[in-house]
Amino acid sequence: MAAKPAADSMCDLRFGQVGIANVRVTRNDPAALQAALAERVHKAPQLFARAAVVLDLGHLPQDIDRDATAALLDAVRAAGMLPVALAYGTRHIEALAEALNLPLIAKFRAAYEPAQANTAAASAPEPTPTPHRARAAEAEVAPAAVVSPATASAPTLHHAQAVRSGQQVYAEARDLVVTANVAAGAEVISDGSIHIYGSLRGRALAGAGGNQQARIYCQSFHAELVSIAGRYRTFEEIPDDLEGRAVQCWLEGEKLLIARLDR
């Protein structure tokens, strides 16, 4: 008989930080939820199609039962996203997760806080990352129509803290300004333009809602990926003339172009 393989030789199990979008549901309306998410997927398929998401039921006006939760999960799937967990909240949500055979993921710190809150938080020390808890941006989904980039009028989102590996910051229907570094494995996303006054080592996705006029500006370029309106470029090695330089990215027709700003 063949020797039985040792358990520790069968696989390698590790905990790490993973960027997962958090869909915050504010009303028990599967049809409206599906429509809102499908609109996002349609406008930015490279960003949202088959994206792993956590369903946050903590902002519903009242508890819902297993069947109603299953209907919301089906709506997320029908929109083109993949629900992988429920956001941890109450004992009731724990029971729902168990009934639906889904994991629970700890609630996430909001990635788009009021500008004054970010300014106040900038002087406070960053909390130590917890390896077994994924971080994510909260994509707040109300069952209303998604604001198009052409009509977006929200003020620019200012993010004063470093964006760490596994974290995602999303500026919906507005521009995003990051006055710190974006680490490898982190994502900054905006329906408008993105300005990074630090180093970009992760991913930057501008024009996520389809705005082809959006641009990306970066003080020190080391990006894994840049994208504008779904057109993207990835980098295993940064070209010598762009490495660590101040750059801008924009669309010219179907081409995503990158050029130094310090020439």
Side-chain angles (χ1 to χ4, degrees):
M1 294 180 62
K4 185 177 180 180
D8 60 0
S9 68
M10 296 299 295
C11 62
D12 185 12
L13 178 61
R14 299 183 183 184
F15 290 105
Q17 292 183 332
V18 180
I20 305 178
N22 189 35
V23 178
R24 184 194 300 177
V25 183
T26 57
R27 197 172 76 212
N28 181 18
D29 189 338
L33 175 64
Q34 179 181 337
L37 293 178
E39 180 72 12
R40 292 172 185 259
V41 173
H42 175 73
K43 287 185 175 181
Q46 295 286 351
L47 177 60
F48 293 119
R50 294 184 60 80
V53 299
V54 174
L55 198 64
D56 184 354
L57 306 176
H59 296 267
L60 290 172
Q62 60 187 25
D63 290 339
I64 59 176
D65 61 19
R66 180 191 184 282
D67 291 343
T69 304
L72 291 174
L73 292 167
D74 287 343
V76 175
R77 295 187 188 97
M81 297 181 180
L82 300 176
V84 297
L86 298 183
Y88 181 83
T90 63
R91 291 184 181 275
H92 177 73
I93 291 175
E94 288 185 50
L96 286 175
E98 184 174 353
L100 293 164
N101 197 29
L102 285 174
L104 282 170
I105 292 183
K107 284 210 171 184
F108 309 114
R109 177 174 59 83
Y112 47 90
E113 298 153 349
Q116 62 269 25
N118 274 336
T119 302
S123 60
E126 287 277 343
T128 302
T130 305
H132 64 281
R133 291 186 178 179
R135 294 181 178 273
E138 291 189 316
E140 184 171 353
V141 179
V146 176
V147 179
S148 68
T151 59
S153 59
T156 298
L157 170 63
H158 293 268
H159 189 87
Q161 298 176 339
V163 187
R164 294 171 294 179
S165 179
Q167 187 179 2
Q168 183 187 85
V169 176
Y170 176 35
E172 183 176 8
R174 51 182 166 172
D175 291 348
L176 172 64
V177 173
V178 180
T179 56
N181 297 330
V182 179
E187 285 186 340
V188 288
I189 305 167
S190 172
D191 287 339
S193 295
I194 297 175
H195 305 255
I196 302 171
Y197 295 100
S199 65
L200 169 62
R201 297 184 180 274
R203 299 176 291 274
L205 300 92
N211 183 358
Q212 298 185 18
Q213 304 305 311
R215 295 200 174 206
I216 298 171
Y217 300 90
C218 174
Q219 191 70 27
S220 181
F221 189 75
H222 308 273
E224 298 170 338
L225 175 149
V226 290
S227 171
I228 298 177
R231 284 77 167 178
Y232 65 92
R233 288 178 62 177
T234 59
F235 299 91
E236 292 186 2
E237 294 185 4
I238 305 293
D240 291 341
D241 64 328
L242 298 179
E243 176 76 32
R245 302 288 187 174
V247 305
Q248 67 168 318
C249 311
W250 73 99
L251 282 182
E252 192 169 289
E254 293 295 312
K255 293 183 178 179
L256 197 161
L257 303 180
I258 305 175
R260 285 171 48 182
L261 288 170
D262 55 357
R263 287 181 172 175

